[in-house]
Amino acid sequence: MTTVVGERREVIEEELEAEYAGVGWWGSLYRAPRRRRWYRLIPVEEISGEQRSELLAWQTRPRRPDLVPVVPGERGEQRQFADRWYQIVCYETDAERSLADAVAEPEPTRRLASVADVIRALPGWREAMGTGLVPLPADTVLAGHRPLLLPLPAWGSPSLGQVFAEPERVAHLTPEAVRGLPSGGRAPDLYALGVAALRCFGTLPYDDTERLLQRTSCAAVFGDQRRDGRLPSWMRRVEPVRKVLQQLCDLTGPRAAGSGDADPWQLADALDQARRAMDPLTAVRSLRAAGEPRKAVGLAHAALVDQPGSPLLLLAAEIAHQDLGEPLEALSLLERAVQADPERSQAYAAQLSIIGGLWSVVQGRLAGATNGSFAHRLHATARAAFDRLPPESRREHAHEMARCLIGQGELVEASAFVHHWLHDGDTLMWWRFDLMLDYAETFLRLGRLEAAAQIADQVKAGLRRIRESGRMDRRDIHEHGMRYADFVRDLHEARGGETGT
């Protein structure tokens, strides 16, 4: 059923050839960006002759870059729509959106970015407008890279009848204004924008006017925790989001004696920090950097419910493997990453890396507990991962695949596999010490000790050459050297105590 207000709005839209944009602090806003116009319609009984003269004077004021120019109306300054007369304030701008549109967007980061930009513009508006400014979301348009205010003379508050006619106006009033008290150091303009910011996190309680008036007077517009929020639950666990929510609650909540308002620039920066932290990859990395890897993986699991994606799965798997030492958890996450994006080679490379280092576990207690089935499943996963790698990436990950084959006991296949990837045409890549030692290990396990010893000699000579030339990182040389030393010990034991290489 269409209300009287709705019918009047439809008449205005049709006759103005404009679209309703929202309620302003004074009047209602309509937009017609194709004609570079926005309109503010104020019931004529709400303003005096002196105020109308002030509006006319604004049409000749020097233009400012942060205010939308006021221009003469195409068909006069007053018009009648559906048996009611309105004073029309005409603005010249081709902006298509207002802050009200931005706050209503489904994407939280876009909402916060717009509110932060508007709060940064507030000091300039104060300088241009003086005191008494209470910008509602529809009073600000978003044009280009900066927000602009649809200005009015500093008239203060409209009549109580007009304030109470729109619950949104009530919600943006300071509690002191509702109770008829001095501001107590609370700036009405920043308070109104603080409420707009809170609307990015939770829905505005559109109760009846009387109930909303009570909530506002008690500084509890957003105090009902039973109401649905507008953020996924995982975002509310992110520290920058929690921090800025507390700042906004302090700004709009009950004031302690002597407390002052927040600095607009500082508040805008905090909103931007919260916005950046709403990226799950950023949030998870921040927890990891703060030394909280388990919380990082837990947050990743929570975020994946709302924002499933391969990059987050890969990051969570990396943390589970490298920071928590939980390779099975990492493999579970990587399997989900493969399913989410079969074309992403990073997941296959990570699977090979983890599985290649698991065989000492699989061959011991874990293999016995699973009757070998788990080991075979890992082997199948490794084969599939290697086969799905891009051809140009397979040589880089041949060592991990070799470890899987050796660990599974496929020694003949492993020896042939390593021989293939150690050669680039007729050239033996002796500097690939990881593969060289894999090759030597296959011969050792096959009982071909002399062949194993010959390859070990090549590794020893190669390490000396690389160490002298400085063409490899010292840490890598050390790791290869340690593995070489372990291999020589194993070879010595296999020879039954004979002098080894």
Side-chain angles (χ1 to χ4, degrees), residues 183-380:
S183 66
R186 196 194 307 255
D189 50 7
L190 187 58
Y191 178 89
L193 293 180
V195 172
L198 280 171
R199 291 174 63 180
C200 296
F201 297 92
T203 56
L204 188 65
Y206 278 107
D207 293 323
D208 60 88
T209 303
E210 182 177 337
R211 174 63 178 147
L212 188 56
L213 188 64
Q214 293 174 349
R215 296 172 66 94
T216 303
S217 66
C218 297
V221 173
F222 291 90
D224 190 345
Q225 296 300 317
R226 293 172 296 175
R227 295 186 179 274
D228 292 335
R230 298 186 65 198
L231 297 183
S233 60
W234 72 267
M235 283 188 185
R236 291 182 174 269
R237 295 165 52 182
V238 176
E239 184 58 29
V241 175
R242 294 166 62 90
K243 184 177 178 180
V244 79
L245 265 173
Q246 186 58 55
Q247 287 183 259
L248 292 171
C249 289
D250 292 344
L251 174 66
T252 60
R255 307 303 296 269
S259 60
D261 255 328
D263 173 73
W265 287 93
Q266 185 273 335
L267 181 58
D269 288 345
L271 287 167
D272 278 336
Q273 290 174 12
R275 173 179 57 81
R276 289 189 289 269
M278 287 176 173
D279 172 57
L281 291 171
T282 299
V284 170
R285 288 190 184 109
S286 295
L287 279 174
R288 185 189 194 184
E292 299 281 0
R294 193 162 299 282
K295 287 185 178 180
V297 174
L299 183 65
H301 277 291
L304 284 165
V305 174
D306 297 291
Q307 294 180 255
S310 183
L312 185 55
L313 286 162
L314 288 170
L315 176 59
E318 179 183 312
I319 298 172
H321 182 218
Q322 296 181 3
D323 297 53
L324 297 179
E326 297 178 356
L328 301 186
E329 165 73 359
L331 286 174
S332 175
L333 289 162
L334 289 171
E335 183 59 32
R336 291 172 61 185
V338 167
Q339 295 171 1
D341 188 356
E343 301 302 318
R344 186 181 285 268
S345 62
Q346 293 96 318
Y348 303 123
Q351 283 179 319
L352 280 171
S353 178
I354 294 173
I355 295 172
L358 265 180
W359 289 107
S360 60
V361 178
V362 173
Q363 290 173 321
R365 175 179 54 82
L366 185 59
T370 57
N371 296 320
S373 61
F374 186 71
H376 288 297
R377 184 145 55 93
L378 287 180
H379 185 63

